[in-house]
Amino acid sequence: QVQLVESGGGLVQAGGSLRLSCVASGRIFSGNVMGWYRQAPGKQRELVASITSGGNTNYADSVKGRFTISKDNTNTAVLQMNSLKPEDTAVYYCNCRVTVINYWGKGTLVTVSS
């Protein structure tokens, strides 16, 4: 079992920045992938960014150049979000994939005002 605890999020004006953190604990093995997904009202959950245990990253086209995902040795994944836009407003969920099992955090709300 893996537990994910998210922090960060909140209300910010367009053009501003926010930082989301996710601490993973439990039965985490090497080879896991951590990432952030988001779900806006009335829309499907979508991948924002992910990072492998080897440091390889993947980003949604809509956030490339604005968001950066990183991971430290303590199984903490950080999503730095810059140049935020109103369309980035969503609930952001931390995800950890261990082999074929996906674990999810409870989500944190990000609201970007215009």
Side-chain angles (χ1 to χ4, degrees):
Q1 194 78 339
V2 174
Q3 294 79 40
L4 302 175
V5 178
E6 301 140 330
S7 60
L11 174 64
V12 65
Q13 288 188 334
S17 298
L18 283 174
R19 183 176 183 268
L20 305 182
S21 294
C22 175
V23 179
S25 60
R27 297 178 60 82
I28 302 170
F29 303 101
S30 62
N32 66 82
V33 179
M34 292 190 71
W36 289 92
Y37 288 69
R38 67 186 180 187
Q39 187 166 18
K43 295 187 177 181
Q44 290 188 334
R45 191 174 296 189
E46 62 176 1
L47 173 68
V48 176
S50 64
I51 185 167
T52 68
S53 56
N56 293 320
T57 58
N58 182 42
Y59 295 94
D61 288 342
S62 59
V63 306
K64 284 181 180 176
R66 300 188 297 121
F67 292 10
T68 303
I69 189 170
S70 59
K71 184 178 174 183
D72 65 14
N73 292 332
T74 62
N75 289 318
T76 298
V78 173
L79 184 68
Q80 178 65 42
M81 306 185 292
N82 299 327
S83 302
L84 282 160
K85 304 175 182 180
E87 50 263 44
D88 294 318
T89 295
V91 177
Y92 284 70
Y93 296 91
C94 180
N95 169 270
C96 181
R97 188 172 76 246
V98 181
T99 61
V100 297
I101 301 174
N102 279 290
Y103 297 94
W104 296 94
K106 293 182 178 180
T108 185
L109 178 63
V110 171
T111 303
V112 184
S113 62
S114 57

